[in-house]
Amino acid sequence: MKNALVCGAGGFIGSHMVKRLKKEGFWVRGVDLKFSEFSETEADDFVIGDLRDQFFSRQIIDRKFDEVYQFAADMGGAGFVFTGENDADIMHNSAMINMNVLDICHKRNIKKIFYSSSACIYPEYNQLDPDNPNCKEDSAYPANPDSEYGWEKLFSEHLFLSYLRNHGMEVRIARYHNIFGVEGTWDGGREKAPAAVCRKVAMAEDGGEIEIWGDGIQTRSFLYIDECIEGTLRLTRSNFPGPVNIGSDEMVSINTLVDMVAKIAGKKIRKKHIPGPLGVRGRNSDNDLIREQLGWAPSCSLRDGLEKTYAWIKDQVEKME
Ligand code: NAD
């Protein structure tokens, strides 16, 4: 039986990865500061603890795992990442986790390790035009991410690639673009745009109004969680280290996103544009490299992903009421 370690297994992507690895017959150990809020973990062993702590990390990385997935990070949506208020935590905590996990895996002679980087590493100067952003993998340099979150991810990409170069580790790196779906954070300040919009629409009356940060003309693409997991596994088991985008190339404005969710909800919704943390003007996944290297790219439509996500968030909202 193969075994896998999932760091950040109590989080959104990590908990979905645990489920998928269990379906494939793996023995899975999950590690996180917390359990998943939304469903019982399926991991064979789930350890609560802090991956910034070297001693703890050495205890849980106690064998030669066949695959390690490193998702643990101090992160959130625009309200967490772009206000500047959490920069020290984001940089310190995530870098500490990456340095510990990677080095201890190397010392246990573990070869295969996946690292979740982000589209936030791309330079701001290529993402000023909402209709024409450039997020080709090789456009990352000269580097100028618009957040400390992006700088930490870029540092950690280099860290992982150094262990590939110097220690022969089979590092695989994806740059995720806005992953969303069921059992993702939907309130509390760390939620991302699709979840926040679904929550606001679910809570609004038909004919009501919801608040949108900025003019809503800023563009993004959003990838449904199942395809994120599929792409991650394909990359991890391929011979290509990356970094490579894992994202959807169906770019929409935030205003369009709101209209789509309102339509799914069957509600008429007015948008009130208010100041708020925004990030870059435009961003879209460029999928040429992943197609070329893996012969695969995400294809699920935004509408399909939103239907499932809206239904789940509406249910969560109703349970709260
Ligand atoms: P998430 O916040 O749901 O999961 C991260 C998990 O890491 C959390 O459960 C958190 O408790 C855990 N964690 C944080 N600090 C820890 C510590 N010191 N020790 C142990 N666990 C700790 O985030 P997610 O959406 O599942 O993202 C997973 C990874 O993918 C992250 O590295 C994130 O930066 C990256 N990523 C996500 C997206 C996205 O859209 N979701 C986009 C780009 C990159």
Side-chain angles (χ1 to χ4, degrees):
M1 185 190 256
K2 285 196 168 184
N3 57 22
L5 174 69
V6 179
C7 301
F12 171 47
I13 300 174
S15 57
H16 281 272
M17 181 56 87
V18 169
K19 284 186 189 150
R20 175 68 187 262
L21 291 169
K22 282 308 300 168
K23 274 205 189 91
E24 294 190 356
F26 274 71
W27 184 91
V28 180
R29 172 173 290 159
V31 188
D32 203 299
L33 290 171
K34 59 168 182 71
F35 287 105
S36 163
E37 295 121 85
F38 307 116
S39 62
E40 197 66 40
T41 182
E42 291 179 20
D44 298 275
D45 183 32
F46 194 102
V47 192
I48 296 285
D50 191 336
L51 290 164
R52 290 170 302 180
D53 177 352
Q54 249 187 44
F55 182 71
F56 167 76
S57 303
R58 243 183 266 131
Q59 284 180 319
I60 57 111
I61 306 172
D62 62 351
R63 66 195 70 186
K64 199 168 181 290
F65 288 99
D66 296 300
E67 294 177 2
V68 174
Y69 295 89
Q70 196 332 58
F71 298 118
D74 206 354
M75 60 98 61
F80 185 76
V81 165
F82 296 121
T83 56
E85 285 163 18
N86 306 297
D87 287 351
D89 279 349
I90 288 171
M91 296 209 88
H92 175 265
N93 295 345
S94 298
M96 286 280 281
I97 296 168
N98 287 325
M99 288 195 288
N100 272 341
V101 170
L102 182 58
D103 193 59
I104 297 166
C105 284
H106 161 55
K107 290 185 172 138
R108 288 263 180 231
N109 202 22
I110 290 168
K111 289 291 175 216
K112 189 146 273 184
I113 184 161
F114 170 85
Y115 174 57
S116 47
S117 182
S118 165
C120 289
I121 65 100
Y122 287 113
E124 190 173 15
Y125 57 77
N126 280 335
Q127 302 173 85
L128 298 173
D129 176 357
D131 297 323
N132 205 14
N134 174 11
C135 291
K136 278 207 172 297
E137 285 80 351
D138 62 6
S139 73
Y141 301 96
N144 191 21
D146 69 327
S147 66
E148 302 303 358
Y149 171 75
W151 280 107
E152 189 283 323
K153 288 289 187 197
L154 208 50
F155 160 76
S156 290
E157 284 191 2
H158 282 260
L159 177 74
F160 275 78
L161 290 172
S162 308
Y163 275 67
L164 177 152
R165 210 162 38 245
N166 296 162
H167 300 312
M169 289 182 76
E170 293 170 33
V171 165
R172 304 287 180 264
I173 302 174
R175 293 175 180 158
Y176 288 154
H177 289 243
N178 293 311
I179 315 302
F180 77 103
V182 299
E183 299 193 359
T185 306
W186 60 276
D187 71 348
R190 286 187 186 232
E191 66 279 16
K192 309 273 181 54
V197 169
C198 286
R199 184 197 67 228
K200 288 177 186 182
V201 171
M203 293 175 96
E205 312 257 300
D206 189 10
E209 183 176 83
I210 68 168
E211 290 185 340
I212 305 294
W213 288 340
D215 57 15
I217 295 167
Q218 67 270 31
T219 53
R220 292 293 183 277
S221 71
F222 303 97
L223 182 67
Y224 192 65
I225 182 68
D226 291 356
E227 295 217 290
C228 165
I229 298 293
E230 181 66 30
T232 301
L233 292 176
R234 283 176 185 257
L235 174 65
T236 304
R237 294 165 186 172
S238 78
N239 292 323
F240 182 56
V244 63
N245 293 329
I246 293 189
S248 160
D249 55 7
E250 185 185 345
M251 186 171 80
V252 293
S253 70
I254 299 298
N255 286 333
T256 303
L257 177 73
V258 175
D259 294 342
M260 285 174 96
V261 175
K263 201 161 177 205
I264 289 167
K267 293 182 184 178
K268 280 213 151 47
I269 296 288
R270 277 174 292 114
K271 307 176 200 83
K272 183 179 177 192
H273 297 283
I274 59 162
L278 294 175
V280 293
R281 269 314 261 171
R283 175 170 291 156
N284 193 15
S285 182
D286 184 304
N287 288 348
D288 288 348
L289 185 63
I290 193 167
R291 248 183 233 112
E292 186 187 305
Q293 292 293 334
L294 304 187
W296 176 90
S299 56
C300 167
S301 74
L302 176 58
R303 166 92 198 193
D304 284 353
L306 282 176
E307 274 176 9
K308 294 180 206 161
T309 309
Y310 180 77
W312 181 79
I313 291 180
K314 181 171 169 275
D315 202 42
Q316 301 298 306
V317 168
E318 283 166 3
K319 278 188 197 148
M320 296 273 289
E321 283 168 0

